[in-house]
Amino acid sequence: GRFENARVNVSGAAGGGQALVGGNYQGQGPEPNAKMVYMDARAVIDASSSAGDGGRGILWADNDTRYQGHIDVSGAVNGGFVEVSSKGHLDFRGTVNLRGLAGRNGELLLDPTDITITTGASGPNLSAAPLIQETGSAATANLDVAYLNSVLTGGTVTITTASAGAGTGNIDITTGIFNGAAGTTLILRADGAITVGAGGSINSGGYLFNVSLRAANGITIGGSGISTSNGTITTESVSGGGQAGGNFVSTANINAGSGNVTLAHAGTILIGGTLNTSGQLSIDAGGSTTQTAAITGAGSLALGGTGAITLANVGNTFGTIAVSRAAATTQTILITTVTPNVQTSSIGTGQFSISGVGFTQSGAITQAAGGGTVTISGGAGTVTLSQANQWTGAVTVTSQTI
């Protein structure tokens, strides 16, 4: 279908309506799906509301969706929902208005097969000519970061991929993503892997920015890393919550300010760039967790999972610690440069070792039957064991004062 120099108006005072072009949400529903959709720069879909919530505007094609127009789902109360997607190739070069004047801003969903977020994107299907190939020749969508940055204005932007056809469901970031307003949430959901590569980054722009990375086949954070200006950073399963698939590797810095950071993976976790948070860092891995760079910010640490945990960098500054580990764990080894305060914890059967400047606790530590050795090292500080701890392995406590 070709949608040139047209205006579709489903706006309403009480609430915006729904405009479906080429199909319904993610190609589902009883409506027939178009093979191709082209919306040019002069075309507008208006599903706004002057007194209520914004409506819905959806563009879908089975093979190719090329979007250069404008969709308005702004509302006097809450913003609405926009989807621009394709089962095959997607070219997103338009604008949207998601603004909710009195409530929350709306949502934008982009759903190609594979996507590379880059500068000045180009590719086989990105020429200016309006003719679209019926076969959708390119599986990978090259998204110009300028268009993505323009919609990071306070709502929720979701980029999701499906490993269909010739694609693998990957999301690759090769340039800087910059947020433009407080309270924005960016969700990257990959049926393959998510990679922030050389030259890539996810930046708060100085505004609170929440980032959720959801991948089936691993997450790699390189380039210039991630900053969220007190927003949250979460790695999780493709459906949200639970463990992401594969491994997590960071070689660049991750800075959440006071925001919480959650790393949850079925595989291993390697913290290879400084991870800074004064909030809570939660770790849940099926494989081992290790680090080659410090965890800073003097935040708290929450440990789960079944894999061995070795967080022994001499620059670590985590203070409050809570451990909730399955019985069959191999080891939990922690070093911090401050005084650790251990909350109510279950440390499983493996070796447990913690070193800091002294030691305090606000809850009991329970070790499973047949547990390994327990070592508490307070250095020049004071170790205070004030709870009804239950140890099953040999315990060693060393400190200047006990």
Side-chain angles (χ1 to χ4, degrees):
R2 296 171 66 163
F3 187 27
E4 300 178 76
N5 197 23
R7 183 178 182 89
V8 174
N9 189 343
V10 293
S11 62
Q18 176 172 263
L20 305 178
V21 178
N24 208 325
Y25 175 76
Q26 295 193 309
Q28 303 170 8
E31 298 82 6
N33 292 341
K35 291 184 177 179
M36 305 159 288
V37 169
Y38 169 69
M39 182 172 175
D40 80 358
R42 296 162 294 178
V44 175
I45 294 174
D46 186 353
S48 63
S49 175
S50 59
D53 295 340
R56 293 166 63 89
I58 294 175
L59 264 69
W60 173 269
D62 284 346
N63 291 337
D64 288 281
T65 299
R66 180 180 294 176
Y67 173 73
Q68 299 176 4
H70 178 73
I71 299 177
D72 186 350
V73 292
S74 61
V77 184
N78 298 309
F81 175 80
V82 174
E83 179 185 8
V84 182
S85 298
S86 172
K87 189 185 297 183
H89 183 264
L90 171 66
D91 173 12
F92 180 89
R93 289 188 288 167
T95 58
V96 298
N97 185 353
L98 306 173
R99 190 175 181 186
L101 294 178
R104 57 166 178 77
N105 290 335
E107 301 179 34
L108 169 65
L109 170 64
L110 305 178
D111 186 4
T113 298
D114 293 308
I115 193 162
T116 297
I117 300 170
T118 187
T119 300
S122 61
N125 283 349
L126 298 182
S127 67
L131 181 62
I132 304 175
Q133 298 298 318
E134 185 172 329
T135 56
S137 58
T140 299
N142 293 315
L143 174 60
D144 189 334
V145 74
Y147 294 101
L148 174 58
N149 291 344
S150 72
V151 299
L152 295 174
T153 55
T156 297
V157 176
T158 300
I159 299 174
T160 183
T161 63
S163 53
T168 56
N170 293 334
I171 298 175
D172 295 307
I173 301 169
T174 64
T175 191
I177 296 173
F178 282 88
N179 174 45
T184 306
T185 296
L186 175 64
I187 299 172
L188 302 180
R189 179 197 175 280
D191 280 3
I194 296 173
T195 302
V196 179
S201 61
I202 301 175
N203 302 280
S204 68
Y207 303 98
L208 188 147
F209 188 30
N210 299 310
V211 176
S212 172
L213 306 177
R214 307 176 181 182
N217 294 328
I219 296 170
T220 300
I221 307 300
S224 297
I226 302 176
S227 67
T228 60
S229 293
N230 307 324
T232 60
I233 301 171
T234 305
T235 68
E236 52 192 327
S237 71
V238 292
S239 58
Q243 294 177 331
N247 304 325
F248 174 87
V249 177
S250 66
T251 59
N253 295 343
I254 295 173
N255 185 2
S258 63
N260 294 333
V261 178
T262 299
L263 304 179
H265 283 261
T268 62
I269 292 175
L270 170 59
I271 300 170
T274 299
L275 193 159
N276 182 74
T277 176
S278 61
Q280 178 172 280
L281 169 61
S282 300
I283 292 176
D284 176 10
S288 63
T289 297
T290 57
Q291 63 178 152
T292 58
I295 298 169
T296 63
S300 62
L301 189 63
L303 302 177
T306 57
I309 296 176
T310 305
L311 298 177
N313 189 281
V314 294
N316 290 338
T317 63
F318 45 77
T320 301
I321 300 167
V323 181
S324 180
R325 306 268 273 148
T329 56
T330 53
Q331 67 180 38
T332 306
I333 299 176
L334 308 174
I335 292 178
T336 182
T337 60
V338 302
T339 302
N341 176 264
V342 177
Q343 299 178 320
T344 301
S345 292
S346 300
I347 62 174
T349 58
Q351 174 192 2
F352 181 79
S353 174
I354 184 167
S355 299
V357 182
F359 176 91
T360 61
Q361 58 182 149
S362 55
I365 301 171
T366 301
Q367 187 176 31
T373 60
V374 175
T375 303
I376 300 173
S377 301
T382 299
V383 171
T384 303
L385 300 172
S386 58
Q387 303 293 319
N389 302 310
Q390 299 179 39
W391 315 111
T392 61
V395 179
T396 301
V397 179
T398 60
S399 184
Q400 181 171 306
T401 305
I402 299 175

